[in-house]
Amino acid sequence: MRKIKGILGLLAQCAAICFWVGLTLTCIWILLTNPEHNAQPIGYLLATFVIAIYAAIAAGTIHCLRRQFQWVGENERLMAWLAANAEKIRNNHPVYCRSQRITLGTVLVRYHIVFSALIISTRYQTRWMIQNKEPRFWHVFSCCLYTCFYGWWGLPFGVFWTPIALVKNLAGSTTVGVAELLQPAPADPVSIGDRFRSNLSRDLRGGFFMDEKPKGVLPAETAVKV
């Protein structure tokens, strides 16, 4: 279900990009083919300003959609790096990621965006950043701007998730410690009932915007069932 919602959210964002690009091109066509605008400087400047706004919205949406795919890859590389350097970090050896030293006390933080379109509301997270070590202003600003613009337009979750995402972004409250990540990942549920309960619990947490921290990055411990 979560994958379906994610795909629908991506398709909705692509539709939004097509809408803003189409609106921009339409306005440009009208401006170029309507001689009245060329004869009236004020009208020409106003039309140019409106086109610039539409183009900026389209470009911002494209950029955010592209970054969503990049964040997934960056997070995967970070978790793989932590798993590969787990022993060094535990033994307090100097290891560096993104030009910053990583220790057991290092805290990672991420930010949220919300996109809504009528009955579709989806949440996405940025990559994990090293708290107080990597600049956060533009991440927070862009996530809040995107959420303010697109987050409200869906019922019921859009109007519920949007203010929560804004508060969490401004407070930087979605965090996880490196010490928490350097734990064995829990074993995946085996039975159909366990998988159903696990998915239901995850969906409920997402519906109430409860932060879902990543599981341990180390290989799962072997579970022995009696």
Side-chain angles (χ1 to χ4, degrees):
M1 182 61 72
R2 296 185 69 189
K3 291 183 178 179
I4 294 176
K5 291 179 181 178
I7 292 173
L8 290 176
L10 292 175
L11 292 176
Q13 290 180 82
C14 290
I17 291 172
C18 293
F19 172 79
W20 292 113
V21 170
L23 196 58
T24 302
L25 295 177
T26 300
C27 291
I28 293 174
W29 174 256
I30 293 174
L31 181 65
L32 295 177
T33 57
N34 190 344
E36 295 181 1
H37 288 297
N38 297 326
Q40 300 176 1
I42 297 179
Y44 182 83
L45 290 175
L46 181 61
T48 303
F49 177 75
V50 171
I51 291 172
I53 293 297
Y54 291 159
I57 295 173
T61 308
I62 292 172
H63 174 72
C64 192
L65 182 60
R66 179 179 63 88
R67 287 294 289 146
Q68 290 170 34
F69 289 98
Q70 290 178 338
W71 290 331
V72 173
E74 291 173 4
N75 280 337
E76 290 177 350
R77 288 191 292 272
L78 175 61
M79 298 304 161
W81 183 90
L82 288 173
N85 292 274
E87 284 302 316
K88 293 181 180 179
I89 296 173
R90 286 202 183 101
N91 294 324
N92 202 30
H93 292 169
V95 289
Y96 294 85
C97 180
R98 301 173 187 165
S99 302
Q100 303 295 333
R101 183 175 179 182
I102 305 299
T103 68
L104 288 175
T106 299
V107 176
L108 306 178
V109 60
R110 70 180 178 186
Y111 305 100
H112 305 269
I113 62 173
V114 178
F115 180 91
S116 297
L118 300 178
I119 60 173
I120 299 174
S121 293
T122 53
R123 297 186 299 130
Y124 303 95
Q125 292 80 35
T126 66
R127 66 180 176 90
W128 286 102
M129 302 175 59
I130 305 172
Q131 191 178 53
N132 300 325
K133 298 295 184 180
E134 295 183 276
R136 64 184 292 268
F137 175 80
W138 287 112
H139 282 81
V140 175
F141 176 78
S142 58
C143 288
C144 288
L145 182 63
Y146 195 84
T147 298
C148 281
F149 191 81
Y150 282 117
W152 304 96
W153 310 111
L155 293 174
F157 291 114
V159 294
F160 173 68
W161 286 346
T162 298
I164 298 177
L166 294 176
V167 171
K168 284 182 175 290
N169 289 343
L170 294 173
S173 59
T174 301
T175 61
V176 64
V178 168
E180 297 177 70
L181 293 174
L182 297 184
Q183 302 292 332
D188 293 329
V190 177
S191 68
I192 296 177
D194 289 341
R195 288 200 298 268
F196 174 79
R197 284 190 292 271
S198 177
N199 293 332
L200 178 62
S201 174
R202 190 162 55 244
D203 289 339
L204 288 175
R205 290 176 62 85
F208 286 99
F209 210 112
M210 298 175 66
D211 290 331
E212 185 175 343
K213 296 183 179 181
K215 300 176 182 179
V217 298
L218 301 183
E221 294 178 338
T222 304
V224 179
K225 285 196 172 184
V226 179

